[in-house]
Amino acid sequence: MGQKISGGIKAIDGRGETGGSPSYRPTAHRRQHLEFRGPDFSKPPRLDLLLDMPCAGLETQLRHAWNPDDRSLNIFIKDEDKLTFHRHPVAQSTDCIRGRIGYTRGLHVWKIHWPSRQRGTHAVVGVATTEAPLHSVGYTALVGSDCESWGWDLGRNRLYHDSKNRSHSSLPTYPSFLEPEESFTLPDSLLVILDMDEGTLSFMVEGQYLGVAFRGLKGKKLHPIVSAVWGHCEISMKYINGLDPEPLPLMDLCRRAARLALGRERLQEIETLPLPQSLKNYLQYQ
């Protein structure tokens, strides 16, 4: 179940922080690609606002966790960690699990923690309807194999949707600034960004927004999903937060403007500002 990735390797290290400077730094000609792509590589303002908010609490995370009743039988959710599942070491089998909640509106972000050494030949992260299959004989990229799911193959850097009816060469490379035979190594964690109001799915790694992967998702009900082949792999999903489609209150927008003016590196200085304590608490989401 090992995999050799051909072509050049670009490494994303663990030094970047969400919302900070990306730890993946493209070469000069990559930066030109980013400029040409324009808006697709610019972090959407609503996403920036969501990531500035405190992370959802454990109770909310459990509501959005893996669904023990919507999984391959080769997968079980750990009793001691309800946010993590374990896959049995079954040979010649590809296994999936969906999240508890299907999203139809709003912006939603969750973190997938999947150790790179446990990914094997086919490691795919994405979203799916309840009609997408959860098990297949053999090793395959099951998420994205039909028209009911959309997935990113973390080893091949390809996007899959209805892939069984398409040639491999027609499957898009992701991130799109990579050359066909170029790749980069991913860290153990990544963010999945589902915007049901815009109908898009995108990903983020170590503070680097990688652009829109899929469009045209509006009007569907989509669940988080992964497909795995590695025996004894353990994959965690942590719901970060969500935003409703309604316009944000003016107070929230003002708080965001104040925090932007301060800058991330000076947020810890809010307590020293000559402001009423109630306002300082509000600026710190307290």
Side-chain angles (χ1 to χ4, degrees):
M1 288 181 287
Q3 179 182 344
K4 180 180 179 181
I5 302 177
S6 61
I9 300 292
K10 300 292 184 184
I12 297 181
D13 63 29
R15 293 171 295 177
E17 295 181 355
T18 300
S21 300
S23 53
Y24 170 65
R25 301 187 182 279
T27 58
H29 71 279
R30 288 291 170 274
R31 290 194 190 96
Q32 292 174 4
H33 285 322
L34 290 175
E35 291 167 4
F36 285 135
R37 301 282 179 179
D40 261 5
F41 289 95
S42 177
K43 193 190 306 177
R46 290 179 73 233
L47 173 61
D48 203 37
L49 175 63
L50 184 151
L51 294 176
D52 187 54
M53 297 164 55
C55 187
L58 181 58
E59 183 179 347
T60 300
Q61 291 173 15
L62 291 173
R63 286 202 307 269
H64 294 260
W66 301 119
N67 190 344
D69 300 318
D70 197 9
R71 59 182 172 83
S72 163
L73 295 180
N74 296 326
I75 283 173
F76 69 89
I77 294 174
K78 299 179 70 175
D79 289 335
E80 67 276 19
D81 181 4
K82 299 297 184 182
L83 302 179
T84 302
F85 76 79
H86 183 103
R87 179 185 177 272
H88 293 297
V90 180
Q92 293 298 317
S93 176
T94 301
D95 304 287
C96 299
I97 183 170
R98 270 184 284 260
R100 288 178 177 272
I101 295 182
Y103 305 109
T104 59
R105 64 196 295 271
L107 173 67
H108 303 274
V109 178
W110 58 93
K111 181 170 77 172
I112 296 292
H113 180 79
W114 190 341
S116 56
R117 66 184 183 279
Q118 298 181 12
R119 292 175 186 166
T121 55
H122 297 83
V124 190
V125 174
V127 294
T129 70
T130 55
E131 301 301 315
L134 296 176
H135 172 72
S136 177
V137 175
Y139 301 133
T140 185
L142 189 52
V143 173
S145 63
D146 65 6
C147 61
E148 300 294 335
S149 59
W150 296 257
W152 178 25
D153 187 322
L154 304 183
R156 294 172 177 81
N157 298 300
R158 294 279 185 171
L159 297 177
Y160 299 146
H161 175 60
D162 200 24
S163 62
K164 65 183 179 183
N165 294 316
R166 301 173 60 183
S167 65
H168 180 75
S169 60
S170 71
L171 300 172
T173 299
Y174 184 85
S176 59
F177 55 75
L178 294 175
E179 299 295 342
E181 296 303 319
E182 185 182 31
S183 183
F184 59 80
T185 55
L186 288 169
D188 291 343
S189 297
L190 60 106
L191 295 185
V192 185
I193 303 148
L194 179 63
D195 190 335
M196 293 306 298
D197 304 318
E198 294 294 329
T200 61
L201 179 68
S202 51
F203 300 89
M204 193 167 172
V205 176
E206 296 291 354
Q208 172 71 59
Y209 181 70
L210 299 181
V212 174
F214 296 100
R215 300 184 185 275
L217 306 180
K218 212 168 182 179
K220 305 180 187 301
K221 185 175 184 179
L222 299 175
H223 298 250
I225 193 171
V226 297
S227 64
V229 299
W230 189 265
H232 293 303
C233 70
E234 294 191 343
I235 304 169
S236 304
M237 178 171 66
K238 177 182 177 182
Y239 186 74
I240 301 299
N241 226 320
L243 280 177
D244 290 331
E246 290 78 15
L248 289 167
L250 182 58
M251 284 181 63
D252 288 358
L253 294 175
C254 290
R255 172 170 55 192
R256 177 58 181 153
R259 289 172 65 90
L260 280 174
L262 280 168
R264 183 175 295 274
E265 66 281 356
R266 293 200 298 158
L267 290 179
Q268 68 273 13
E269 298 177 16
I270 289 177
E271 278 296 333
T272 67
L273 297 176
L275 297 171
Q277 188 60 47
S278 59
L279 183 53
K280 288 190 284 189
N281 291 344
Y282 186 74
L283 289 174
Q284 297 176 89
Y285 288 96
Q286 293 177 355

